[in-house]
Amino acid sequence: PGAMGLPTVGDLLSSSYRGYLDPKKHFSPRDGLMAIEGMLFFALAELYCRFVLPFLGVSNEPVQLPLIEYVTRGTIPVIGVLAYTAMYFIIAGGFYFAYYEPPENQYLKDNKVQKDVKVRWSMSQPQATTTEVDYFWKSISTSVKGCVSVGFICNWNHYILQGKTRIYWDATQRSVLEVVGWWLVAYILVDLGGYVVHRVLHWPWLYVRVHKLHHFWKSPTPFVVSALHPFEILSLTSMTMMICASLPLWWPTYIFLIGWIYFYNTMDHSGVTMPSLWKWQAPVKFHDDHHKYFHVNYGPMVDWWDKLFGSYLKEEEASTQKFNEDTFHNHWATTPGVRRRAAASGAKEASSAAAAEAAAGKREKADAGSTTSGTPPGSDDEVH
């Protein structure tokens, strides 16, 4: 508590203060504190759409869909929350029932990444424990709060639907190469942005108050995909929307990108080994290890950024190094570029030391020769 016993900003943001880390507490009056970060990210979206996007150039192509006239400033937050919640239950529920039902099915036994962790939603299921059931329902109630928080930043989609971003409706004047090319640019930038945001959320101050909630589940399941602190889900979603709104994307490809990101992130949290749908995408174990070892493997869909910036977990490190929630790693010191510079610097120092040692050896030899011949070192007779 701060002065006069009032909560500080850190307290108001804290998962502990809000009761998010209590597995038996699902909803409470303190959930309303999400309005703090909700209004902040709403304001940031307004500022960006009103003052930055006009400089980048907007499409002026409103989306032409049936009943679009009913999507207004007043209705879009409700529509957005309902759409996001439906996406959550359809995709996460689909993965869950495909791989976890019935419990202990043979495919799950063979392919669960962390085989020692069971998932149970009812005490009537085989070998269920109260903790397992509590954690299952906690993942859903936390995700519902995350879905509700997205309503604060539905103003992004209001501007998109009005044609006041760079996202456009009519693709007839654009080539297939242009449409696909900009989609790939968005895909790469969103993934890089997700890596940066995720890594920032692992800074100790933010991790303890915000991202720790998502790591409540050390072995993820499909329903954990949106089990995020409102500040986190608003940060990640705002980053995604800002990038998409700033690029000339065809509206259907924008929708496909959003759906694909969510689908793959659910697959990423499934906790079940399965092949990546696209070969360049990281396997499920990559993110499962992030939950198990904490401060490694931050990339949302690919492992390129972790390999580039030194946060990729190698198999030999997992068995030889200490990884836990309180061990924060300075990955910037282990990026390939830093390692190369350190190796080059070390080689240069070693070379200089070797040269100095060789020179000293030569002097000692010369001095020894001078002493033997009876000529004092450094005398005039030595040089004549």
Side-chain angles (χ1 to χ4, degrees):
M4 302 175 64
L6 297 174
T8 64
V9 172
D11 291 333
L12 294 174
L13 195 63
S14 170
S15 295
S16 298
Y17 183 80
R18 296 185 183 189
Y20 292 167
L21 300 180
D22 183 349
K24 294 186 178 297
K25 183 182 287 186
H26 297 286
F27 300 100
S28 79
R30 288 186 179 180
D31 293 336
L33 291 170
M34 74 170 69
I36 297 172
E37 54 262 34
M39 289 187 289
L40 170 65
F41 283 100
F42 170 84
L44 291 174
E46 284 293 315
L47 289 171
Y48 192 83
C49 291
R50 286 173 181 247
F51 300 108
V52 178
L53 283 177
F55 284 103
L56 300 177
V58 297
S59 69
N60 289 316
E61 293 185 24
V63 173
Q64 305 296 319
L65 288 174
L67 306 177
I68 196 69
E69 64 272 16
Y70 296 105
V71 183
T72 65
R73 273 278 197 176
T75 61
I76 200 166
V78 177
I79 295 170
V81 169
L82 292 175
Y84 198 97
T85 306
M87 180 171 66
Y88 168 71
F89 280 107
I90 291 170
I91 297 179
F95 269 99
Y96 180 82
F97 286 104
Y99 294 103
Y100 285 86
E101 291 293 333
E104 301 301 311
N105 65 76
Q106 194 58 48
Y107 186 88
L108 186 63
K109 286 181 179 179
D110 294 340
N111 294 281
K112 183 84 164 62
V113 179
Q114 297 185 45
K115 299 183 186 298
D116 56 326
V117 182
K118 301 193 303 294
V119 179
R120 298 288 185 269
W121 60 267
S122 170
M123 290 299 293
S124 63
Q125 292 183 298
Q127 302 175 340
T129 67
T130 305
T131 301
E132 291 163 355
V133 174
D134 287 343
Y135 272 54
F136 178 89
W137 291 107
K138 182 71 176 181
S139 69
I140 293 178
S141 63
T142 302
S143 295
V144 167
K145 284 183 272 194
C147 294
V148 170
S149 72
V150 171
F152 285 100
I153 53 170
C154 282
N155 48 342
W156 283 108
N157 275 310
H158 171 75
Y159 284 99
I160 289 170
L161 293 174
Q162 296 295 316
K164 295 178 180 178
T165 70
R166 299 194 70 193
I167 295 174
Y168 58 87
W169 175 254
D170 183 10
T172 56
Q173 303 302 314
R174 294 164 173 92
S175 68
V176 173
L177 184 63
E178 183 180 355
V179 171
V180 174
W182 280 112
W183 186 88
L184 289 173
V185 170
Y187 173 89
I188 292 169
L189 290 180
V190 167
D191 200 74
L192 176 58
Y195 174 86
V196 172
V197 172
H198 192 181
R199 189 148 175 176
V200 168
L201 288 167
H202 274 262
W203 290 355
W205 193 91
L206 278 172
Y207 181 83
V208 169
R209 290 165 177 79
V210 176
H211 192 54
K212 182 183 178 75
L213 171 62
H214 190 58
H215 280 268
F216 196 62
W217 294 271
K218 307 299 185 286
S219 175
T221 71
F223 284 117
V224 173
V225 63
S226 290
L228 304 166
H229 190 294
F231 183 90
E232 177 171 356
I233 200 168
L234 289 169
S235 299
L236 290 165
T237 307
S238 296
M239 174 276 301
T240 301
M241 299 304 295
M242 182 185 74
I243 291 172
C244 290
S246 303
L247 297 175
L249 292 172
W250 185 33
W251 189 79
T253 64
Y254 153 70
I255 294 298
F256 176 74
L257 178 63
I258 298 300
W260 173 257
I261 291 170
Y262 200 83
F263 179 88
Y264 188 79
N265 273 280
T266 308
M267 178 178 169
D268 223 18
H269 284 85
S270 67
V272 179
T273 301
M274 61 185 81
S276 299
L277 299 181
W278 291 345
K279 289 186 178 180
W280 62 81
Q281 294 198 282
V284 172
K285 189 177 184 301
F286 173 77
H287 191 73
D288 208 283
D289 281 347
H290 173 74
H291 279 258
K292 184 176 181 179
Y293 297 107
F294 301 99
H295 308 294
V296 292
N297 293 7
Y298 301 110
M301 294 182 288
V302 300
D303 56 17
W304 309 339
W305 321 119
D306 291 278
K307 290 178 177 176
L308 183 62
F309 298 120
S311 51
Y312 182 76
L313 177 70
K314 300 180 178 67
E315 287 294 333
E316 61 271 18
E317 293 175 338
S319 58
T320 60
Q321 295 185 24
K322 181 182 179 183
F323 292 93
N324 59 47
E325 199 166 15
D326 302 319
T327 306
F328 294 89
H329 305 280
N330 179 18
H331 295 301
W332 300 117
T334 59
T335 61
V338 172
R339 281 176 173 167
R340 281 195 297 272
R341 286 194 293 274
S345 175
K348 189 175 180 181
E349 288 177 8
S351 176
S352 300
E357 189 176 343
K362 284 181 182 177
R363 282 197 300 271
E364 286 176 9
K365 212 183 226 185
D367 291 346
S370 299
T371 305
T372 325
S373 63
T375 307
S379 69
D380 290 338
D381 291 338
E382 185 179 359
V383 292
H384 292 295

